[in-house]
Amino acid sequence: MKTVYLDNSATTKVRKKVLEQIIDVNENYYGNPSSLHRMGLQIEKKIEESRKNVSKIINSKASEIYFTGGGTESNNIAIISSLSNCEKRHNIVTTKIEHSSVYNTINHFKDKMEIRYVEVDKMGKVDQDNLNELVDHNTILVSIMHVNNEVGIVQDLNSITKIIKDKNKDAKIHIDAVQSFGKIKIDTNKLPVDTIAFSSHKIHGPKGVGGLFVRSGSGINCITFGGGQEKSIRPGTENTPGIVGFGEACRLICENFREETEKLQNLKYLYAKRLSEEIKDIKINSSMKNDGAPHILSISFKNVKAEVLVHYLEQQGIFVSTGSACSSKAKTNRILESIKLDRDYLHGTIRISLGLLNTEDEVEYAVHSIKQSVEDIRKIMK
């Protein structure tokens, strides 16, 4: 059976060149980077090469990159560290469409300070007037994701960060860039942000490794303690095969950034066009303009149960999701409710998320299978 993997926002297949680097480290460079002998120094050098490759993606200094265990850990370190000296008078500003690793971490502080949620429109775009109203001199942290993981809206970080700094120059700004890293240009020299979280396995790198950008001089407090690795921001023996693989994935992105993002964008447009042509009563929730991420397409089908559709499709070798894998067991969809999706479509939403291994040849097979499955489910649900 043909396999069409369209769940790349959940995770991606590791590239062959990345896998070769991971194997090479496991076979030949298995020393501990903290060791003083030659094997330790060899792998330490490879880690620093990876740090440089990662930093190029967001145009930062290599010294501002810290390796972590993944995007969730990066978000936790950035948020908890920023709030470690908070007082009752402080407030946090964020949105209700954040990934659970941000939303739940901030919610953990609900009894210690006020949490303010910025309104978003029907595409998930931050209401900048509302943001301007909510940020004040007591705002200690603003945390906003760059690309929403379910509908793919891209936030205008230039305007958002200007609003925040105009209202409170001391407020910390954290960006969850897990879904935008490596797919949308980020320039830390132009954005006054303090921290940025990102992950390896969303860009065809290995799982279990991520990164955190911490601007020089912005200050960050340790929240876990150990041997001082990663300047004590993320202590513990480094995941050396993962870090080197992550660095290789970033190097490959830098080589062909424009071509690869254009390929994703074109595939997204093609899926949206063909599904709209073939199936009645559907709604495209993702922006088809410049403020839509190149790899995420959220589609809702009227009178269809999305979970049932996902299982219909997997029987035909097609793998999509109903939204974030990290929230797949939640009873309600916080993101779709926040953008006020029509109730007739609310429970019939799937996410097609594209990766570099997807091709145009897959599109007609996937569209035909989705159309047939939707028609079958609608007959059953009548």
Side-chain angles (χ1 to χ4, degrees), residues 38-53:
R38 178 164 50 85
M39 288 185 70
L41 296 176
Q42 285 175 334
I43 188 61
E44 184 184 21
K45 185 179 178 184
K46 283 187 170 289
I47 288 177
E48 294 314 310
E49 288 172 2
S50 297
R51 205 182 305 278
K52 287 179 185 174
N53 287 333

Side-chain angles (χ1 to χ4, degrees), residues 198-210:
F198 42 88
S199 179
S200 160
H201 72 109
K202 310 292 188 183
I203 59 164
H204 300 277
K207 296 174 182 62
V209 59

Side-chain angles (χ1 to χ4, degrees), residues 203-218:
I203 59 164
H204 300 277
K207 296 174 182 62
V209 59
L212 179 65
F213 160 80
V214 181
R215 185 174 299 284
S216 298
S218 65

